[in-house]
Amino acid sequence: MSELEKTLALVSAHALRFRADSADRPHRPALAYSEMLARLGGPTPERAAAMEQVIGELIERAEPGLAAMIGPRFFGWVIGGTEPAGMAADWLASAWGQNTGNNEATPAAAAAESVAARWLLDILGLPSEASVGFVTGATMANFTCLAAARGEVLHRAGWDCEADGLFGAPPIHVVLGEDAHSTVFSALRYLGLGDRRVIRVAVDDNGRMDGDAFVEALAPLTGPIIAIAQAGHIHSGAFDPFNEIAAAAHAKGAWLHVDGAFGLWARAAPDRAHLADGVELADSWATDGHKWLQTPHDCGYAIVRHPGAHVRAMRIAASYLPAGDLAHPADLVPELSRRARGFPTWAMLKTLGRDGVARMVSQHCAQARRMAALLAREPDIEILNDVVLNQVAVRLGSDLPAAQADALTQRTIGRIQREGTCFVAGAHWRGVEIVRVSVIGAATRDEDIDRSADAILAAWRAERGANEAS
Ligand SMILES: *Cc1c(COP(=O)(O)O)cnc(C)c1O
């Protein structure tokens, strides 16, 4: 065997073993970052080494620092399961080494994106004329969409922001919900729109924007406006009232952007689609492949109803690049050189199919309700959100003074993670510490929910008991 054959055989054997073990391996890495620095560290390599040996060493050294994020009982943050078809297509993307900027230079990679984009728009029920940029995730999708929004609202006001920048431009009003995701604020910062000069609209107990408050916030505004709504609140999974928001935004000539990193996928499931009713009325949408579609990291989609505004914001022109009339992949994203994200997206959409996506989304939402029901049987546990989607926000010790409940909640999360049956993380929401359960990995079965609920309850009882004994 050649060195390459031996190396790929090693990687393949290891990947198979890692994935087969993922249900049983500890979710939390055995070693911490500082220990991994020592394990992977050493002086700068001065001389060449054999590839097979280096890759073998990487596997051996990295393993204790890996989290079982693809496991069936990993409910931390909002993280998809990197399903095998997407992983295999992603390996091919690397093997083929396609730099996916240009239709003429890499027609297969560019066409896979164009085709997968049409399928995505169809499954998500979004306008077929929209353009889709394949970015690293919803953070860059928010950035890309809001760049198109910024250019377009200024263009309509007679200002060419791509040419003349923001100095001297008519001010843009940015209106969003109190509970907008942190990455929306990042995007606003990157775009020179600032994260402090925004107008924040009140939200209800689920973090859902108040439609009347939105209309009131818009009423006095004149000039360019960008409104930002949300499909799938990071803790509650709630959806903003899009019909109301879109009608008011468009009456004011505003651009409406929707952050739908995972929640937009409710559109794919007939029993959940009503939650996002009216979302199709927006001007742009950010969503992820590496959350509910289960592609490998990284993969997100910047979807814009107005391809002209999209391309105007992102186009990269250079004399040494093939041009042509059609938009190239690089005209829709911030990067010029990048990996071929269309291949894993194409492979995941084809292996799951429309009905497979629908089944998975429905099943995760049912499993979230199952988890909430199992936990809420305890009188001192409260579910803080309406579990409409895949997110469960759990308040432990609802009968205790707040500070004590918060401290016990944090200790319980640590205990759950150490015990290892499942993985959950916490957050601060509505003034209290919560346990967040995100059901979004493809491998999760109902029995995983039951086992995990038992583990969470056992950890909570143990912490509460230890507290009362002391
Ligand atoms: C995850 C998430 C983001 C950020 O997406 P990345 O893929 O991590 O860049 C933005 N908004 C919401 C609501 C999210 O859940």
PDB file of all heavy atoms in Angstrom, residues 65-86:
ATOM      1  N   GLY A  65      -9.593  14.677  23.975  1.00  0.00           N
ATOM      2  CA  GLY A  65     -10.137  16.044  23.985  1.00  0.00           C
ATOM      3  C   GLY A  65     -11.358  16.198  23.091  1.00  0.00           C
ATOM      4  O   GLY A  65     -11.803  17.313  22.845  1.00  0.00           O
ATOM      5  N   LEU A  66     -11.897  15.091  22.602  1.00  0.00           N
ATOM      6  CA  LEU A  66     -13.071  15.161  21.723  1.00  0.00           C
ATOM      7  C   LEU A  66     -14.356  15.014  22.529  1.00  0.00           C
ATOM      8  O   LEU A  66     -14.426  14.195  23.443  1.00  0.00           O
ATOM      9  CB  LEU A  66     -13.012  14.052  20.661  1.00  0.00           C
ATOM     10  CG  LEU A  66     -11.799  14.085  19.729  1.00  0.00           C
ATOM     11  CD1 LEU A  66     -11.794  12.852  18.816  1.00  0.00           C
ATOM     12  CD2 LEU A  66     -11.767  15.349  18.894  1.00  0.00           C
ATOM     13  N   ALA A  67     -15.359  15.808  22.184  1.00  0.00           N
ATOM     14  CA  ALA A  67     -16.689  15.694  22.799  1.00  0.00           C
ATOM     15  C   ALA A  67     -17.540  14.796  21.911  1.00  0.00           C
ATOM     16  O   ALA A  67     -17.391  14.809  20.693  1.00  0.00           O
ATOM     17  CB  ALA A  67     -17.330  17.080  22.890  1.00  0.00           C
ATOM     18  N   ALA A  68     -18.443  14.024  22.528  1.00  0.00           N
ATOM     19  CA  ALA A  68     -19.310  13.145  21.722  1.00  0.00           C
ATOM     20  C   ALA A  68     -20.530  13.936  21.254  1.00  0.00           C
ATOM     21  O   ALA A  68     -21.665  13.639  21.611  1.00  0.00           O
ATOM     22  CB  ALA A  68     -19.708  11.917  22.529  1.00  0.00           C
ATOM     23  N   MET A  69     -20.278  14.947  20.423  1.00  0.00           N
ATOM     24  CA  MET A  69     -21.375  15.810  19.971  1.00  0.00           C
ATOM     25  C   MET A  69     -22.317  15.090  19.019  1.00  0.00           C
ATOM     26  O   MET A  69     -23.444  15.544  18.819  1.00  0.00           O
ATOM     27  CB  MET A  69     -20.809  17.054  19.292  1.00  0.00           C
ATOM     28  CG  MET A  69     -20.172  18.007  20.289  1.00  0.00           C
ATOM     29  SD  MET A  69     -19.519  19.478  19.476  1.00  0.00           S
ATOM     30  CE  MET A  69     -19.321  20.549  20.897  1.00  0.00           C
ATOM     31  N   ILE A  70     -21.847  14.011  18.408  1.00  0.00           N
ATOM     32  CA  ILE A  70     -22.715  13.286  17.472  1.00  0.00           C
ATOM     33  C   ILE A  70     -23.502  12.187  18.182  1.00  0.00           C
ATOM     34  O   ILE A  70     -24.260  11.458  17.548  1.00  0.00           O
ATOM     35  CB  ILE A  70     -21.906  12.665  16.304  1.00  0.00           C
ATOM     36  CG1 ILE A  70     -20.840  11.694  16.836  1.00  0.00           C
ATOM     37  CG2 ILE A  70     -21.269  13.756  15.461  1.00  0.00           C
ATOM     38  CD1 ILE A  70     -20.159  10.884  15.736  1.00  0.00           C
ATOM     39  N   GLY A  71     -23.326  12.055  19.495  1.00  0.00           N
ATOM     40  CA  GLY A  71     -24.002  10.997  20.244  1.00  0.00           C
ATOM     41  C   GLY A  71     -25.493  11.260  20.385  1.00  0.00           C
ATOM     42  O   GLY A  71     -25.955  12.395  20.235  1.00  0.00           O
ATOM     43  N   PRO A  72     -26.263  10.194  20.692  1.00  0.00           N
ATOM     44  CA  PRO A  72     -27.724  10.313  20.737  1.00  0.00           C
ATOM     45  C   PRO A  72     -28.262  11.055  21.967  1.00  0.00           C
ATOM     46  O   PRO A  72     -29.437  11.401  21.997  1.00  0.00           O
ATOM     47  CB  PRO A  72     -28.183   8.855  20.766  1.00  0.00           C
ATOM     48  CG  PRO A  72     -27.044   8.099  21.362  1.00  0.00           C
ATOM     49  CD  PRO A  72     -25.799   8.813  20.920  1.00  0.00           C
ATOM     50  N   ARG A  73     -27.417  11.268  22.961  1.00  0.00           N
ATOM     51  CA  ARG A  73     -27.908  11.967  24.162  1.00  0.00           C
ATOM     52  C   ARG A  73     -27.100  13.243  24.413  1.00  0.00           C
ATOM     53  O   ARG A  73     -26.892  13.667  25.534  1.00  0.00           O
ATOM     54  CB  ARG A  73     -27.857  11.010  25.369  1.00  0.00           C
ATOM     55  CG  ARG A  73     -28.863   9.859  25.236  1.00  0.00           C
ATOM     56  CD  ARG A  73     -28.838   8.898  26.412  1.00  0.00           C
ATOM     57  NE  ARG A  73     -27.533   8.288  26.599  1.00  0.00           N
ATOM     58  CZ  ARG A  73     -27.034   7.295  25.862  1.00  0.00           C
ATOM     59  NH1 ARG A  73     -27.743   6.779  24.877  1.00  0.00           N
ATOM     60  NH2 ARG A  73     -25.829   6.815  26.094  1.00  0.00           N
ATOM     61  N   PHE A  74     -26.696  13.869  23.340  1.00  0.00           N
ATOM     62  CA  PHE A  74     -26.016  15.161  23.424  1.00  0.00           C
ATOM     63  C   PHE A  74     -27.051  16.251  23.146  1.00  0.00           C
ATOM     64  O   PHE A  74     -27.543  16.380  22.030  1.00  0.00           O
ATOM     65  CB  PHE A  74     -24.869  15.249  22.401  1.00  0.00           C
ATOM     66  CG  PHE A  74     -24.034  16.488  22.586  1.00  0.00           C
ATOM     67  CD1 PHE A  74     -22.919  16.487  23.415  1.00  0.00           C
ATOM     68  CD2 PHE A  74     -24.395  17.678  21.968  1.00  0.00           C
ATOM     69  CE1 PHE A  74     -22.170  17.638  23.613  1.00  0.00           C
ATOM     70  CE2 PHE A  74     -23.657  18.839  22.159  1.00  0.00           C
ATOM     71  CZ  PHE A  74     -22.539  18.816  22.994  1.00  0.00           C
ATOM     72  N   PHE A  75     -27.395  16.998  24.185  1.00  0.00           N
ATOM     73  CA  PHE A  75     -28.440  18.026  24.051  1.00  0.00           C
ATOM     74  C   PHE A  75     -27.882  19.423  24.330  1.00  0.00           C
ATOM     75  O   PHE A  75     -28.625  20.337  24.684  1.00  0.00           O
ATOM     76  CB  PHE A  75     -29.600  17.731  25.013  1.00  0.00           C
ATOM     77  CG  PHE A  75     -30.165  16.332  24.862  1.00  0.00           C
ATOM     78  CD1 PHE A  75     -30.010  15.385  25.872  1.00  0.00           C
ATOM     79  CD2 PHE A  75     -30.849  15.974  23.710  1.00  0.00           C
ATOM     80  CE1 PHE A  75     -30.528  14.096  25.733  1.00  0.00           C
ATOM     81  CE2 PHE A  75     -31.375  14.690  23.559  1.00  0.00           C
ATOM     82  CZ  PHE A  75     -31.204  13.747  24.573  1.00  0.00           C
ATOM     83  N   GLY A  76     -26.570  19.559  24.244  1.00  0.00           N
ATOM     84  CA  GLY A  76     -25.949  20.840  24.561  1.00  0.00           C
ATOM     85  C   GLY A  76     -26.084  21.827  23.414  1.00  0.00           C
ATOM     86  O   GLY A  76     -26.065  21.436  22.240  1.00  0.00           O
ATOM     87  N   TRP A  77     -26.214  23.108  23.758  1.00  0.00           N
ATOM     88  CA  TRP A  77     -26.296  24.180  22.759  1.00  0.00           C
ATOM     89  C   TRP A  77     -27.311  23.788  21.674  1.00  0.00           C
ATOM     90  O   TRP A  77     -28.357  23.242  22.008  1.00  0.00           O
ATOM     91  CB  TRP A  77     -24.884  24.487  22.242  1.00  0.00           C
ATOM     92  CG  TRP A  77     -23.984  24.739  23.419  1.00  0.00           C
ATOM     93  CD1 TRP A  77     -24.084  25.759  24.313  1.00  0.00           C
ATOM     94  CD2 TRP A  77     -22.924  23.897  23.913  1.00  0.00           C
ATOM     95  NE1 TRP A  77     -23.139  25.617  25.310  1.00  0.00           N
ATOM     96  CE2 TRP A  77     -22.416  24.493  25.083  1.00  0.00           C
ATOM     97  CE3 TRP A  77     -22.344  22.698  23.465  1.00  0.00           C
ATOM     98  CZ2 TRP A  77     -21.368  23.938  25.811  1.00  0.00           C
ATOM     99  CZ3 TRP A  77     -21.295  22.151  24.199  1.00  0.00           C
ATOM    100  CH2 TRP A  77     -20.819  22.777  25.358  1.00  0.00           C
ATOM    101  N   VAL A  78     -27.041  24.052  20.408  1.00  0.00           N
ATOM    102  CA  VAL A  78     -27.944  23.582  19.342  1.00  0.00           C
ATOM    103  C   VAL A  78     -27.036  23.047  18.240  1.00  0.00           C
ATOM    104  O   VAL A  78     -26.601  23.789  17.369  1.00  0.00           O
ATOM    105  CB  VAL A  78     -28.847  24.714  18.788  1.00  0.00           C
ATOM    106  CG1 VAL A  78     -29.841  24.159  17.779  1.00  0.00           C
ATOM    107  CG2 VAL A  78     -29.597  25.429  19.912  1.00  0.00           C
ATOM    108  N   ILE A  79     -26.756  21.736  18.306  1.00  0.00           N
ATOM    109  CA  ILE A  79     -25.700  21.183  17.465  1.00  0.00           C
ATOM    110  C   ILE A  79     -26.199  19.946  16.736  1.00  0.00           C
ATOM    111  O   ILE A  79     -26.702  19.008  17.361  1.00  0.00           O
ATOM    112  CB  ILE A  79     -24.465  20.864  18.347  1.00  0.00           C
ATOM    113  CG1 ILE A  79     -23.856  22.189  18.820  1.00  0.00           C
ATOM    114  CG2 ILE A  79     -23.453  20.025  17.586  1.00  0.00           C
ATOM    115  CD1 ILE A  79     -22.612  22.058  19.636  1.00  0.00           C
ATOM    116  N   GLY A  80     -26.072  19.957  15.433  1.00  0.00           N
ATOM    117  CA  GLY A  80     -26.521  18.822  14.623  1.00  0.00           C
ATOM    118  C   GLY A  80     -25.570  17.639  14.734  1.00  0.00           C
ATOM    119  O   GLY A  80     -24.519  17.719  15.368  1.00  0.00           O
ATOM    120  N   GLY A  81     -25.942  16.535  14.101  1.00  0.00           N
ATOM    121  CA  GLY A  81     -25.240  15.272  14.326  1.00  0.00           C
ATOM    122  C   GLY A  81     -24.204  14.874  13.282  1.00  0.00           C
ATOM    123  O   GLY A  81     -23.709  13.757  13.332  1.00  0.00           O
ATOM    124  N   THR A  82     -23.846  15.752  12.334  1.00  0.00           N
ATOM    125  CA  THR A  82     -22.881  15.381  11.289  1.00  0.00           C
ATOM    126  C   THR A  82     -23.163  13.959  10.788  1.00  0.00           C
ATOM    127  O   THR A  82     -22.429  13.015  11.084  1.00  0.00           O
ATOM    128  CB  THR A  82     -21.422  15.503  11.784  1.00  0.00           C
ATOM    129  OG1 THR A  82     -21.206  16.829  12.254  1.00  0.00           O
ATOM    130  CG2 THR A  82     -20.423  15.226  10.681  1.00  0.00           C
ATOM    131  N   GLU A  83     -24.240  13.811  10.038  1.00  0.00           N
ATOM    132  CA  GLU A  83     -24.645  12.482   9.594  1.00  0.00           C
ATOM    133  C   GLU A  83     -23.690  11.929   8.528  1.00  0.00           C
ATOM    134  O   GLU A  83     -23.024  12.685   7.808  1.00  0.00           O
ATOM    135  CB  GLU A  83     -26.082  12.560   9.046  1.00  0.00           C
ATOM    136  CG  GLU A  83     -27.115  12.503  10.167  1.00  0.00           C
ATOM    137  CD  GLU A  83     -27.241  11.102  10.746  1.00  0.00           C
ATOM    138  OE1 GLU A  83     -28.005  10.295  10.211  1.00  0.00           O
ATOM    139  OE2 GLU A  83     -26.549  10.832  11.764  1.00  0.00           O
ATOM    140  N   PRO A  84     -23.629  10.574   8.424  1.00  0.00           N
ATOM    141  CA  PRO A  84     -22.618   9.932   7.572  1.00  0.00           C
ATOM    142  C   PRO A  84     -22.609  10.388   6.110  1.00  0.00           C
ATOM    143  O   PRO A  84     -21.529  10.557   5.538  1.00  0.00           O
ATOM    144  CB  PRO A  84     -22.966   8.447   7.665  1.00  0.00           C
ATOM    145  CG  PRO A  84     -23.655   8.297   8.984  1.00  0.00           C
ATOM    146  CD  PRO A  84     -24.388   9.584   9.217  1.00  0.00           C
ATOM    147  N   ALA A  85     -23.771  10.586   5.492  1.00  0.00           N
ATOM    148  CA  ALA A  85     -23.746  10.959   4.068  1.00  0.00           C
ATOM    149  C   ALA A  85     -23.089  12.328   3.883  1.00  0.00           C
ATOM    150  O   ALA A  85     -22.321  12.536   2.934  1.00  0.00           O
ATOM    151  CB  ALA A  85     -25.165  10.983   3.501  1.00  0.00           C
ATOM    152  N   GLY A  86     -23.368  13.229   4.799  1.00  0.00           N
ATOM    153  CA  GLY A  86     -22.756  14.559   4.727  1.00  0.00           C
ATOM    154  C   GLY A  86     -21.266  14.472   5.005  1.00  0.00           C
ATOM    155  O   GLY A  86     -20.450  15.154   4.367  1.00  0.00           O
TER     156      GLY A  86
END
